[in-house]
Amino acid sequence: MKIIDVNLLNRSYSIQVEDGLLASISGLLKQSNIGQKWIIISQHRLMELFGFDLMDQLNQQGYYIDYITVPTGETAKSMIEFNRIISQMIELKCDRSTTILALGGGVVGDVAGFVASSFMRGIDYYQIPTTLLAMVDSSIGGKTGINISEGKNLVGAIYQPKGVFIDPRILDSLPREEVVSGLGEILKYGAIKDESFFSATSQHLENLDTFPFENAIARSCEIKAKIVSQDECEGGLRRLLNFGHTIGHALEAHFGYGQLRHGDAVSYGMISAGWISKELGLLKRNEYKTFKQSILRLPLPSLNKFDPVSLLPFIKNDKKTVSGILHFVTLTNIGSASTNDNVTDNLLISAMKEIQ
Ligand SMILES: NC(=O)c1ccc[n+]([C@@H]2O[C@H](COP(=O)([O-])OP(=O)(O)OC[C@H]3O[C@@H](n4cnc5c(N)ncnc54)[C@H](O)[C@@H]3O)[C@@H](O)[C@H]2O)c1
Ligand SMILES: [Zn+2]
């Protein structure tokens, strides 16, 4: 088992990664079971795949457990679903001691985490991510939230889980396109912090059947955990995690959430950001070429034609733009990143032409 610590004083917790770990969760949580009510928040299909077995396991070990499901897709991250979960928890006689297990991808993790942050002013929760994206990204760092009609993730809280349990074997049932999307985020960690991890990951993309998920997930978690430990609230260092996300989010918003997967949009966003890094004289021409080729080893869906100018408003409205300044993340080398406040509209437009 690989154990990665997220060091945040009294909010510290650990991420545990191991093939088959799901079967031993009752033992791992034993210390925390003080007779309280436990609630699994998940989705129907995930309950059938893993949740009911997990409930049996916990029941047999004397846990007092119930479950609540949310729909699939972004609709689960809504005020309506948030209200419904809270009401259901009251009906199920949950109280301040109740502990939530968020079993699912980023959607479940985000809404369940937000419920945990606000139910009776905050209760404990654990993340059990079931998508690759959630394993390497959304389950770590405590960002929780829901969407409103004005935009995605506009209501939320930074509220850390008590622990994260990652069982890479869970990925066996995940559709391949979802795996590919998560691999984009894994490449991102290498790009910003670890060149040899970036190139090894990219080599392994040749044959996904032999991809070393356990190691790659653990290394990604290590990189994210270290950054979050130093900058919990996105003051500076945490911004580096947004590499590829400025243009990525604009592509997602333009094509419609659900049309282009988050990790795929980030992969295209990374190519654009790499191109900007080259134009700014940071990344050498041949480094950029290697970088682009490495990302394109991913079987990404092709992008329909779009007008880059029409994406600029999404970039300006992005949460990463603070007081009108866009803190754009560039690469200084493959494996090291920094933010740059002088990226012009013209550069952004040309960078988007690069991925058409
Ligand atoms: N909190 C953060 O820091 C953070 C970071 C990145 C993304 N996010 C959020 O994460 C969400 C996207 O998360 P996602 O990509 O995990 O998508 P998702 O949660 O919608 O999961 C994708 C689909 O896969 C299914 N699924 C999940 N695990 C499965 C499994 N093991 N086998 C079969 N099917 C499975 C789900 O039911 C769903 O239909 C977005 O809302 C995004 O805003 C949050
Ligand atoms: Zn992301």
Side-chain angles (χ1 to χ4, degrees):
M1 166 154 10
K2 298 193 169 62
I3 300 181
I4 298 130
D5 294 320
V6 184
N7 298 311
L8 293 166
L9 304 170
N10 61 343
R11 283 160 292 108
S12 298
Y13 56 98
S14 64
I15 304 162
Q16 305 186 41
V17 189
E18 191 178 40
D19 275 328
L21 180 123
L22 198 60
S24 45
I25 285 197
S26 58
L28 297 169
L29 285 172
K30 210 167 164 187
Q31 303 284 339
S32 316
N33 188 21
I34 46 161
Q36 77 274 42
K37 176 142 212 152
W38 294 74
I39 295 286
I40 296 178
I41 298 185
S42 192
Q43 291 164 327
H44 279 296
R45 171 117 176 89
L46 298 176
M47 283 307 294
E48 278 165 8
L49 284 168
F50 321 107
F52 292 124
D53 284 349
L54 178 61
M55 275 184 86
D56 285 349
Q57 185 199 139
L58 291 165
N59 261 324
Q60 277 164 22
Q61 297 303 317
Y63 291 69
Y64 178 36
I65 182 139
D66 253 303
Y67 76 99
I68 294 173
T69 57
V70 294
T72 54
E74 288 292 317
T75 43
K77 282 175 60 173
S78 65
M79 267 318 169
I80 292 172
E81 284 303 315
F82 173 79
N83 284 344
R84 198 183 53 80
I85 299 170
I86 299 274
S87 300
Q88 237 177 302
M89 286 177 67
I90 302 282
E91 244 171 66
L92 290 168
K93 305 212 172 353
C94 293
D95 60 22
R96 276 191 197 108
S97 69
T98 296
T99 307
I100 290 175
L101 298 175
L103 175 71
V107 159
V108 166
D110 278 12
V111 68
F114 187 48
V115 166
S117 78
S118 48
F119 185 79
M120 307 221 169
R121 299 205 177 92
I123 58 172
D124 290 351
Y125 79 113
Y126 291 82
Q127 292 275 14
I128 310 175
T130 63
T131 62
L132 185 55
L133 182 111
M135 289 177 185
V136 298
D137 192 3
S138 59
S139 67
I140 312 155
K143 279 194 191 173
T144 72
I146 56 175
N147 309 323
I148 53 174
S149 53
E150 286 79 4
K152 242 174 88 83
N153 300 323
L154 289 183
V155 177
I158 293 200
Y159 190 68
Q160 302 295 340
K162 289 286 159 194
V164 182
F165 298 114
I166 302 180
D167 180 351
R169 229 175 263 164
I170 284 183
L171 297 174
D172 290 351
S173 57
L174 190 68
R176 189 182 150 90
E177 313 84 68
E178 296 291 345
V179 174
V180 169
S181 167
L183 287 167
E185 292 280 358
I186 291 182
L187 281 172
K188 178 196 76 179
Y189 290 112
I192 61 169
K193 279 283 166 199
D194 182 343
E195 191 198 354
S196 59
F197 179 48
F198 179 84
S199 64
T201 302
S202 139
Q203 300 293 329
H204 282 299
L205 297 180
E206 300 286 354
N207 182 1
L208 287 187
D209 293 335
T210 58
F211 191 88
F213 283 103
E214 192 178 326
N215 284 334
I217 291 167
R219 180 68 188 123
S220 302
C221 290
E222 234 169 54
I223 294 172
K224 179 154 185 183
K226 195 165 173 205
I227 292 178
V228 170
S229 297
Q230 289 170 54
D231 175 19
E232 188 180 10
C233 298
E234 204 155 311
L237 191 61
R238 194 162 175 169
R239 282 202 185 116
L240 301 185
L241 294 171
N242 291 329
F243 178 61
H245 282 61
T246 303
I247 290 175
H249 279 157
L251 290 168
E252 256 185 302
H254 173 78
F255 286 109
Y257 299 107
Q259 291 298 310
L260 183 65
R261 284 182 173 76
H262 175 76
D264 297 339
V266 168
S267 291
Y268 280 117
M270 287 194 289
I271 296 175
S272 293
W275 186 86
I276 289 176
S277 310
K278 170 181 72 76
E279 290 299 300
L280 291 172
L282 300 165
L283 206 58
K284 292 189 193 73
R285 196 164 287 275
N286 60 338
E287 270 187 306
Y288 169 65
K289 203 171 152 210
T290 308
F291 177 70
K292 183 177 176 183
Q293 278 168 351
S294 305
I295 293 180
L296 289 179
R297 284 210 183 101
L298 281 169
L300 295 174
S302 50
L303 287 182
N304 288 334
K305 273 252 163 283
F306 65 94
D307 173 14
V309 177
S310 69
L311 266 67
L312 286 180
F314 293 119
I315 294 177
K316 309 273 173 206
N317 291 334
D318 198 276
K319 286 202 293 306
K320 289 179 292 304
T321 305
V322 182
S323 311
I325 298 171
L326 172 65
H327 300 290
F328 195 87
V329 186
T330 44
L331 291 184
T332 37
N333 294 298
I334 300 176
S336 97
S338 59
T339 50
N340 199 302
D341 300 345
N342 303 311
V343 174
T344 60
D345 286 359
N346 279 343
L347 261 183
L348 290 167
I349 291 167
S350 308
M352 287 188 266
K353 287 188 180 150
E354 177 73 6
I355 51 173
Q356 298 245 22

